[in-house]
Amino acid sequence: MTDMTGKQNVENFLSKFRDPQTHRFHSVTALDFLKCWQHYDTDGNGYLEGEELNGFLREFITSVIPDEIGSEIISETAMQQLMTEVMDAYDENNDGRIDINELCQILPTEETFLALFQIDTPLSSSVEFMRVWKQFDTDLSGSIDSNELKNFLKHLIVISKVEVTNEKLDEYTETLIRLFDRNGDGKLQLSEMARLLRVKENYLIKPLFNNNNCLDDRTIDRIFRKYDTDSNGVLENEELMGFLKDLLEANGEEVNEEGLKIMKEGILKQWDINKDGKIGRQEINDLILQTVHILQEKEHLKKVNNL
């Protein structure tokens, strides 16, 4: 067996979840999944990467090898190839890491728990995310508590058409809070909920980072239409909040509802001349170009500091 660094003669953590005769995995319960995640995500940052990822992949691959044969039968070259194949199959966003959602696809997680990660995810955009957030943050506290999360899970379960007992629902609620609640307050903040309810694409990342010298009117129009979901020519409510969420995330900033509200108020104060709570295409253009300028300044300072 191998440990997290590949050394021999250390118990494989995943072996407890397999049948000793067939060496196939048992169905991993929600609580078992939580134990697995906490075991491998040693720094608690919400991702398996670096040595964490290396250790998990080695144990995952060797866990299906009978003890009497031994994992040493696999050469290092073959091991690296198998690890690459696992990442190719499950690293959905190609970031070289495994997140909670991706690990849920790798391990044979019980069907009903797995369904929570498959229905309606990823969402099409941050606008849709903000609508879901508003729907289930019923007390407008800026966070999702256990009761609100349970209601959200009930919604997913209805969509998935699976049967879940109240006892299991309580277990899933507790498990998801423990998985995604990084600050330990027993609730899911907006950024924590965003890790559970993923968005398919941040529409601003490519324009801001890959083509920031080619932000012509056509590109700005295309970006604006992505957020103007009702095609009324302005961004308002969840459209504007979704745009701001993507803007902050593209800039590498932590997103929470309070920060979004402060940013929204500042933008409306500066550009919402008629005070109707809406922002037009030209204002979005100015905001994007301002962000590009800030990013370019950061990159310039980074290069200067590295000299």
Side-chain angles (χ1 to χ4, degrees):
M1 295 300 170
T2 59
D3 64 2
M4 293 289 286
T5 61
K7 296 179 181 179
Q8 301 295 318
N9 301 321
V10 175
E11 182 182 1
N12 186 319
F13 183 80
L14 292 175
S15 64
K16 65 182 68 178
F17 303 112
R18 73 180 189 192
D19 186 290
Q21 301 300 321
T22 65
H23 299 283
R24 293 181 179 179
F25 280 106
H26 298 298
S27 179
V28 177
T29 68
L31 292 178
D32 286 338
F33 181 85
L34 175 63
K35 292 176 183 177
C36 286
W37 182 260
Q38 292 176 334
H39 175 78
Y40 291 105
D41 182 25
T42 55
D43 62 6
N45 74 339
Y47 298 95
L48 303 187
E49 54 188 339
E51 286 302 312
E52 297 171 342
L53 180 59
N54 180 68
F56 166 74
L57 291 175
R58 287 180 179 275
E59 292 200 349
F60 176 70
I61 292 168
T62 58
S63 63
V64 298
I65 300 174
D67 295 339
E68 59 271 19
I69 295 178
S71 59
E72 62 273 8
I73 195 173
I74 301 181
S75 68
E76 183 60 25
T77 300
M79 175 64 74
Q80 292 296 329
Q81 179 61 36
L82 289 169
M83 291 166 68
T84 298
E85 291 177 3
V86 172
M87 290 299 290
D88 287 344
Y90 294 103
D91 182 18
E92 296 177 357
N93 57 3
N94 297 313
D95 65 353
R97 307 181 293 185
I98 292 295
D99 61 26
I100 294 172
N101 298 272
E102 291 164 341
L103 184 65
C104 202
Q105 310 302 319
I106 296 175
L107 297 179
T109 313
E110 62 183 25
E111 183 179 357
T112 51
F113 186 63
L114 178 62
L116 303 180
F117 293 89
Q118 294 178 324
I119 302 301
D120 276 357
T121 56
L123 297 177
S124 61
S125 70
S126 284
V127 175
E128 188 177 356
F129 173 87
M130 293 308 303
R131 286 174 179 153
V132 173
W133 176 264
K134 182 178 180 180
Q135 178 183 353
F136 290 98
D137 180 22
T138 53
D139 61 2
L140 303 179
S141 65
S143 61
I144 300 293
D145 62 26
S146 59
N147 288 327
E148 291 168 334
L149 180 59
K150 186 182 296 186
N151 288 332
F152 171 69
L153 296 184
K154 287 179 181 178
H155 169 72
L156 293 186
I157 289 167
V158 169
I159 295 174
S160 65
K161 298 179 181 179
V162 295
E163 295 292 332
V164 178
T165 65
N166 288 331
E167 182 180 0
K168 274 294 182 183
L169 184 60
D170 289 339
E171 177 186 327
Y172 293 166
T173 301
E174 179 185 356
T175 300
L176 290 176
I177 286 180
R178 293 175 66 184
L179 279 170
F180 292 97
D181 176 24
R182 294 179 64 182
N183 66 357
D185 64 354
K187 305 175 183 179
L188 295 186
Q189 305 301 320
L190 193 145
S191 61
E192 295 166 341
M193 188 69 173
R195 291 173 57 223
L196 169 60
L197 195 60
R198 295 176 297 170
V199 169
K200 183 177 181 180
E201 180 182 3
N202 182 329
Y203 297 132
L204 298 178
I205 288 181
K206 289 182 180 179
L208 293 183
F209 290 94
N210 297 342
N211 301 299
N212 53 27
N213 292 321
C214 304
L215 279 173
D216 52 19
D217 286 344
R218 186 176 180 180
T219 301
I220 297 293
D221 281 338
R222 185 167 60 250
I223 293 173
F224 186 83
R225 287 196 300 271
K226 292 285 189 179
Y227 294 96
D228 182 20
T229 56
D230 58 7
S231 302
N232 69 344
V234 294
L235 301 189
E236 56 186 323
N237 301 322
E238 290 80 26
E239 295 173 339
L240 181 55
M241 294 292 273
F243 171 80
L244 297 179
K245 172 180 175 290
D246 280 353
L247 193 64
L248 288 173
E249 289 178 342
N251 203 21
E253 298 182 33
E254 186 79 7
V255 180
N256 58 60
E257 187 165 29
E258 182 180 0
L260 283 178
K261 287 181 178 179
I262 292 174
M263 188 176 184
K264 178 183 176 181
E265 290 172 1
I267 290 171
L268 291 176
K269 183 177 180 180
Q270 180 176 355
W271 282 313
D272 183 19
I273 299 176
N274 62 358
K275 308 301 179 184
D276 63 355
K278 304 174 184 179
I279 293 294
R281 189 267 188 205
Q282 185 57 50
E283 288 75 23
I284 293 298
N285 175 84
D286 294 342
L287 187 55
I288 290 175
L289 293 180
Q290 183 182 74
T291 302
V292 168
H293 177 71
I294 293 173
L295 292 173
Q296 289 174 338
E297 285 293 318
K298 284 184 177 180
E299 186 64 24
H300 175 70
L301 289 174
K302 183 178 179 180
K303 290 180 179 179
V304 170
N305 292 332
N306 289 334
L307 292 178

